[in-house]
Amino acid sequence: MKRVMVKPLKVLGTYTQVLPNNWKLYMDNVKDTYHASLLHLFFTRFRINRLTQKGGVFVSADGAHHCTYTEIVEDRGDAYEAGGMRSAGGAHDFRLEAPELLEQVDELGDNVSIQILSLFPGFVLHQIRNSLAARQVVPKGIDRTELNWTLFGFADDDEAMLRRRLLQANLVGPAGYISMEDGAATGFVQRGVAAAADRASVIEMGGATIGSGDSRVTETAVRGLWKAWRSYMQV
Amino acid sequence: MDIELRMRVEELHARYAHALDSDELERWPDFFTAKGRYRVTTAENEARGLPLPVLYAEGEAMLRDRIASLRHANIYEPQRYRHMVSAVLLEQQSASRVKSIANFLVIRIMENGEVVLFASGRYLDRIALPELRYEERVVICDSRRFDTLLAIPL
């Protein structure tokens, strides 16, 4: 939080994304360091976030909170391409005619391309390039969640930075090149699990414990969420 | 107000709506001038003087990027829209520009047949003459809420 909140903020605007799923599925998505470069073509194709880029994940001792980051340092590797991953660009060799949408100024001076932070149970802070936002996760029913987005900049942003933030607003929110997919995916999971209420599936990616580390090929933060939730719910 | 101009602007709005509703998304950028701007926002942000767009494109390259991304990059559930556009008010500013305000309703149809009122609001347009393309189309949604995601432009 201190890394991003370095000076007075200026709110740029707000909106609400209504998700057709339980709130825990959204937090599970936020904390899953693994899905981002598989689901979000924009992350992988434009090398904003690949698991082969330097980064890490921090998880609080009780598992409830997490923070993950990826460094700007360009990864020239082609692991995703060699693996034939859809998110690497796919058959269409997807590219942008106006790539300036993604240009980042390293305004916090520490070479971080993306930081996602969550506080249990329902708060998220993101920095994706120069897009900064707080997300408030509000449960509205077993299968309905409202996500209140507040995008902000700094009070001393110049015109170029304001323009950059407004262009990069296209990455997030209900129409976000990245975030629209989270709305879709969590809804798919909600409907998928409804068909098998009495069954369970367990994948222990990165082990069974929770903890911090330099690899994001792990579900440590996801396990932390469920562990914290079970402890509060006494189940 | 020139009746012929009114008819031509209403036809522009109608062609725009039919193109989106017929999944002819590749035609969407052609409704704008080369430097045309498209911005979706909420009445709340507008009233508070806040600049945040829900979706924003300036110029034909960004407009085309949005459609290319929907076609080839983004994961979302198949869906269609039905636009209703009405109550068009015009104000001709010069021989080369007319301003338009119109109401819209957008109904969303999912593959399983689910139909919902997805969005309502106003189009605030600056239209270039005589080519009849949007120099700017600002879509002001009445509600701050968007159900699941906004993929296809409004």
Side-chain angles (χ1 to χ4, degrees):
Chain A
M1 295 280 275
K2 280 186 188 160
R3 174 183 171 270
V4 173
M5 305 292 192
V6 290
K7 50 187 170 178
L9 307 179
K10 188 165 105 187
V11 170
L12 299 179
T14 65
Y15 42 65
T16 297
Q17 187 175 3
V18 181
L19 302 172
N21 53 263
N22 188 271
W23 69 275
K24 295 190 292 302
L25 282 176
Y26 186 75
M27 291 309 283
D28 181 284
N29 172 286
V30 164
K31 287 166 182 277
D32 174 20
T33 48
Y34 197 68
H35 87 281
S37 59
L38 298 180
L39 174 63
H40 304 306
L41 184 143
F42 266 68
F43 275 160
T44 307
R45 177 66 173 161
F46 303 118
R47 296 172 188 268
I48 296 173
N49 175 12
R50 292 183 172 210
L51 293 169
T52 45
Q53 280 167 274
K54 201 173 165 200
V57 57
F58 304 100
V59 183
S60 65
D62 62 354
H65 322 296
H66 101 296
C67 178
T68 183
Y69 73 98
T70 304
E71 291 197 3
I72 294 172
V73 178
E74 189 148 315
D75 163 63
R76 300 256 175 220
D78 67 350
Y80 285 81
E81 286 77 4
M85 308 296 278
R86 179 200 62 87
S87 59
H92 296 281
D93 191 26
F94 181 73
R95 53 189 76 226
L96 291 177
E97 285 185 55
E100 63 264 36
L101 188 95
L102 295 168
E103 277 168 17
Q104 178 178 0
V105 170
D106 183 16
E107 60 181 325
L108 299 171
D110 56 5
N111 240 14
V112 168
S113 163
I114 168 169
Q115 175 194 334
I116 306 286
L117 174 151
S118 72
L119 292 180
F120 189 87
F123 174 84
V124 181
L125 177 80
H126 87 229
Q127 173 235 322
I128 300 171
R129 298 298 210 205
N130 292 109
S131 165
L132 305 174
R135 313 175 197 168
Q136 180 194 23
V137 180
V138 184
K140 289 287 181 180
I142 289 174
D143 57 0
R144 186 178 156 95
T145 302
E146 289 191 0
L147 189 55
N148 294 324
W149 295 80
T150 303
L151 277 77
F152 59 86
F154 295 116
D156 64 357
D157 282 348
D158 60 18
E159 221 166 277
M161 182 55 87
L162 176 63
R163 178 171 180 274
R164 192 174 294 117
R165 293 199 208 281
L166 297 182
L167 284 176
Q168 292 184 3
N170 280 297
L171 297 174
V172 302
Y177 284 129
I178 295 161
S179 303
M180 78 163 82
E181 300 179 320
D182 291 320
T186 47
F188 293 157
V189 176
Q190 179 79 35
R191 277 182 275 167
V193 296
D198 57 345
R199 300 198 180 177
S201 162
V202 177
I203 299 173
E204 295 185 340
M205 187 185 292
T209 58
I210 57 169
S212 304
D214 293 334
S215 170
R216 288 158 297 140
V217 188
T218 170
E219 293 189 329
T220 179
V222 174
R223 281 191 291 276
L225 164 71
W226 293 100
K227 190 175 172 184
W229 178 77
R230 288 172 64 91
S231 120
Y232 283 110
M233 297 298 288
Q234 300 178 324
V235 294
Chain B
M1 173 60 64
D2 176 345
I3 295 289
E4 192 193 325
L5 177 62
R6 161 167 284 278
M7 288 177 68
R8 290 173 67 209
V9 169
E10 290 192 6
E11 193 184 312
L12 169 69
H13 294 336
R15 284 191 285 112
Y16 175 100
H18 282 295
L20 291 179
D21 294 353
S22 312
D23 193 35
E24 293 170 11
L25 303 183
E26 282 68 18
R27 289 179 50 213
W28 180 62
D30 299 336
F31 288 98
F32 294 83
T33 60
K35 290 183 177 174
R37 298 198 301 182
Y38 175 79
R39 179 165 68 95
V40 178
T41 187
T42 67
E44 181 186 343
N45 284 334
E46 282 292 289
R48 292 169 69 191
L50 297 174
L52 180 70
V54 180
L55 194 167
Y56 178 51
E58 52 182 41
E60 54 190 347
M62 283 188 199
L63 292 162
R64 284 196 295 264
D65 281 344
R66 180 51 75 164
I67 299 306
S69 181
L70 292 181
R71 292 293 198 207
H72 306 303
N74 291 126
I75 301 284
Y76 61 100
E77 205 166 340
Q79 51 194 273
R80 292 288 186 97
Y81 289 163
R82 183 66 59 205
H83 280 73
M84 302 291 157
V85 182
S86 68
V88 180
L89 291 178
L90 299 184
E91 183 191 330
Q92 184 156 11
Q93 295 197 301
S94 68
S96 63
R97 178 185 289 165
V98 60
K99 279 169 82 169
S100 160
I101 298 178
N103 287 350
F104 71 85
L105 284 181
V106 173
I107 293 158
R108 187 188 65 191
I109 307 100
M110 305 304 285
E111 273 196 329
N112 67 1
E114 183 199 44
V115 175
V116 295
L117 176 55
F118 182 62
S120 68
R122 291 181 300 156
Y123 288 126
L124 270 52
D125 303 314
R126 282 192 291 119
I127 298 164
L129 302 174
E131 63 267 45
L132 221 62
R133 290 175 193 250
Y134 299 111
E135 283 177 0
E136 181 177 70
R137 163 151 271 200
V138 181
V139 185
I140 302 179
C141 296
D142 292 326
S143 172
R144 61 170 284 143
R145 291 187 195 193
F146 296 87
D147 183 62
T148 311
L149 54 85
L150 173 70
I152 303 164
L154 293 171

